[in-house]
Amino acid sequence: MKILNGFDMLIAKIETEFINQDNSQEAVNYEEQGHHIKRVLCTSLIGYMTTSGFVKGVKTLPLVGNEAYILNTKEFSSIHRFVQNDDELTIRLGTLSTDSQIIVSLGVQNLFSNHVGIFGNTGSGKSYTLAQIYHRLFELFRGNDNFKANSRFLFIDFNGEYSGDSVMTEGKKVYKLSTYTPINKIPMSQDSVMDLDTLCIFASATEKTQRPFISRALNLYHWLRDKGGNKDEMQNIFRAMLCKNIKAIFTMEDKSKVEPLLEYIVSIVPPKYDVDGFGVDLRESVSYHETHKYYYLPGDRESAYKRKLSDRDLEGNKNGEFVERTHYYTQALEYQIPDDFIRFFIDILYLQLVQDVKNSRAQNDHIHPAIEKLKSMVRNISMVLDFKEDVDFWDKSNIVVVDLRMANQDTKKMIPLLLCHSAYKQHTQNKDKATPYLNIVIDEAHNILSYQSTRESESWKDYRLEVFEEIIKEGRKFGVFMTIASQRPSDISSTIVSQLHNYFIHRLVNDEDLTKVAKTISYLDRISQESLPILPTGSCVVAGQVVEMPLIIQIDKMNDRHKPDNETLKLLDYWKA
């Protein structure tokens, strides 16, 4: 409604209404009771009208006696036009829920130069809205070479909803990842993998202890490459280091420290087999004297105790020759660098751990889990990543969809973090800004942005969230923006939700979700919040910088070939006779 205050036209939004019955007047025969009822409207000021259109904000307050009127069609349409200039590009998303004649078009600049959040319970139309927003954008710039050259869109698709050939748009690059049977692999250079941040992601490394350890191992890896020159020379240097550390281990007296280190040596050296082809336990070549606390070479009882490995004064053991007769040492001389450079780096990690524990620089319990995590990820890495020298992740397209539907849970955690962090890092380090705009779109974002996960340590969870929080807090100045969609906003970090600028909120019925939305989204008014549990499918509340005021819109229907693949199963089609 509009309120006329002199020459000013104030715009107010009706929030509630109630009635008052005036019984002070005497009843008159044949008088309608309605004459004693007063209808009272409660409104809130949202802006004012100027010659150029609607302006959000309070310019002046209404006075007692000002007259109020219902807006005419032109004025109503003007309020729901959310661009400043007529020539500004817009995309149509739908119509007002209360008036299907009023088309809602949003400005491309305000929508896509800000972070976007799309929330709603399953089946409320959340994924449909995400697909519609980007379908309209891609259709608007279809065939535009500047759009293709100056923007990139990375879609993280956990459920395979957007990987269809025509979903949203044609011509996109799709990576269908599977940890069961390889389908597609993401190309990645070896140098990009042998990066401290990337390795910490693979190993789920903690910031305080495991990350510095991996950094030392990475320095050792690069030193070996620079010192060795070629594979054979690097292999000889690694063997020499391995043998030197084996000799040093057997000079230690603390069995509780030595035994884990021997297990790490077993993890590095090739296995030993007897003449019949059966595996030989390397520990058989060494015995330990429990009383006098030293290792010795086993044999007949008379000579065995005279073969103390740590005693360099014994005849024939000046340079640790007794150690050279153990299986650990002989197998170290047989070591071959694996063809898989990640497996070689795991060997380097074990060697670094041996040196750190031996020198009391690290504790086994703190470091070993990171190595085990990396070892467990080797198979997953080989199934989803393809290491090449000539790498083009975008494959001459500016739209990439990473389909994780067939990946296991560890990969679903690792790959989005790896790709988003890598894309953000490369974009911020791109000084010439060849591609100034990067948009990262994450559907079902609670899979990667949740702070309630119990499957990972607190320190790793904090690191994972810090990576995305940095992107969403600092990305704008570098031209990096995020769109996240989730059915559980209460699971997502409050820092991330509060940093979003535009919101599309579908039906939410969970109290925790409603409370989270009310606390973290400042753009919503009371009416919009109260309507969230009863919104029909396909309707959503739009709020944020892209609109002047919160409003409820009905999203336009899409062509079937552009819709995401998330239709609810029609049971009766299968059950009916």
Side-chain angles (χ1 to χ4, degrees), residues 168-384:
M168 291 188 299
T169 185
E170 294 87 1
K172 59 184 180 290
K173 175 64 179 178
V174 177
Y175 293 102
K176 292 186 178 181
L177 305 184
S178 172
T179 51
Y180 307 101
T181 302
I183 303 174
N184 301 131
K185 292 185 179 182
I186 296 174
M188 186 168 289
S189 66
Q190 290 189 15
D191 290 339
S192 64
V193 174
M194 299 311 293
D195 169 80
L196 180 59
D197 291 326
T198 304
L199 290 170
C200 288
I201 290 172
F202 285 148
S204 301
T206 57
E207 187 73 22
K208 302 294 185 183
T209 55
Q210 295 171 348
R211 185 182 176 93
F213 167 76
I214 293 177
S215 178
R216 294 194 295 273
L218 190 59
N219 291 336
L220 177 57
Y221 172 80
H222 290 303
W223 180 84
L224 283 169
R225 287 184 59 181
D226 296 339
K227 188 80 172 174
N230 58 51
K231 186 175 179 180
D232 289 337
E233 292 180 6
M234 188 161 59
Q235 183 170 276
N236 291 332
I237 295 173
F238 188 82
R239 284 177 180 175
M241 294 180 65
L242 198 54
C243 292
K244 181 180 178 181
N245 277 279
I246 292 173
K247 287 187 175 182
I249 288 173
F250 285 114
T251 64
M252 301 170 62
E253 296 181 353
D254 188 348
K255 183 181 180 182
S256 63
K257 274 191 174 183
V258 173
E259 292 297 332
L261 298 187
L262 293 179
E263 289 299 320
Y264 301 151
I265 297 297
V266 171
S267 299
I268 301 174
V269 301
K272 183 176 179 60
Y273 300 98
D274 61 17
V275 293
D276 297 320
F278 294 102
V280 175
D281 185 1
L282 304 189
R283 190 66 176 76
E284 294 177 0
S285 63
V286 179
S287 293
Y288 184 74
H289 199 295
E290 295 289 350
T291 304
H292 297 292
K293 311 295 183 185
Y294 63 82
Y295 287 89
Y296 62 92
L297 289 177
D300 59 272
R301 300 195 60 161
E302 293 182 3
S303 62
Y305 296 146
K306 297 179 182 179
R307 297 170 180 170
K308 184 178 178 181
L309 299 182
S310 58
D311 192 347
R312 300 299 174 88
D313 294 329
L314 290 175
E315 183 180 354
N317 195 37
K318 182 177 181 181
N319 295 311
E321 285 82 357
F322 285 175
V323 176
E324 295 177 5
R325 294 160 62 180
T326 66
H327 293 335
Y328 296 99
Y329 196 95
T330 57
Q331 291 308 109
L333 295 175
E334 299 295 325
Y335 178 82
Q336 301 284 334
I337 292 181
D339 294 331
D340 187 341
F341 69 97
I342 294 183
R343 294 184 185 275
F344 177 49
F345 183 70
I346 291 174
D347 293 340
I348 292 177
L349 286 171
Y350 276 122
L351 181 59
Q352 184 68 49
L353 181 55
V354 168
Q355 295 181 159
D356 285 359
V357 173
K358 180 168 59 70
N359 298 326
S360 300
R361 193 175 182 180
Q363 294 186 24
N364 166 58
D365 294 342
H366 294 165
I367 304 301
H368 190 242
I371 303 179
E372 289 300 311
K373 179 66 175 180
L374 185 57
K375 285 177 64 177
S376 68
M377 291 300 299
V378 167
R379 178 185 176 277
N380 293 340
I381 293 170
S382 64
M383 298 286 276
V384 299

Side-chain angles (χ1 to χ4, degrees), residues 140-152:
L140 179 65
F141 290 97
R142 177 186 289 273
N144 187 314
D145 292 336
N146 286 334
F147 176 76
K148 185 174 182 179
N150 295 316
S151 63
R152 285 177 173 174

Side-chain angles (χ1 to χ4, degrees), residues 151-154 394 423-424 427 435-440 479-481:
S151 63
R152 285 177 173 174
F153 297 85
L154 172 60
W394 298 94
Y424 175 70
H427 192 86
T435 306
Y437 180 83
L438 172 65
N439 196 328
I440 298 172
V480 181
F481 301 94

Side-chain angles (χ1 to χ4, degrees), residues 82-83 88-93 105-118 129-130 132-134 136-137 437 439 481-483 501-504 542-547:
F82 304 113
V83 291
E88 187 173 340
L89 292 177
T90 63
I91 57 170
R92 169 177 170 164
L93 288 185
S105 296
L106 304 180
V108 171
Q109 174 66 28
N110 285 337
L111 180 56
F112 295 101
S113 64
N114 290 293
H115 304 303
V116 178
I118 305 174
T129 297
L130 190 152
Q132 179 69 291
I133 289 173
Y134 284 95
R136 296 287 192 188
L137 175 68
Y437 180 83
N439 196 328
F481 301 94
M482 289 186 69
T483 298
H501 304 116
N502 296 314
Y503 300 88
F504 297 81
V542 182
Q545 297 183 6
V546 73
V547 291

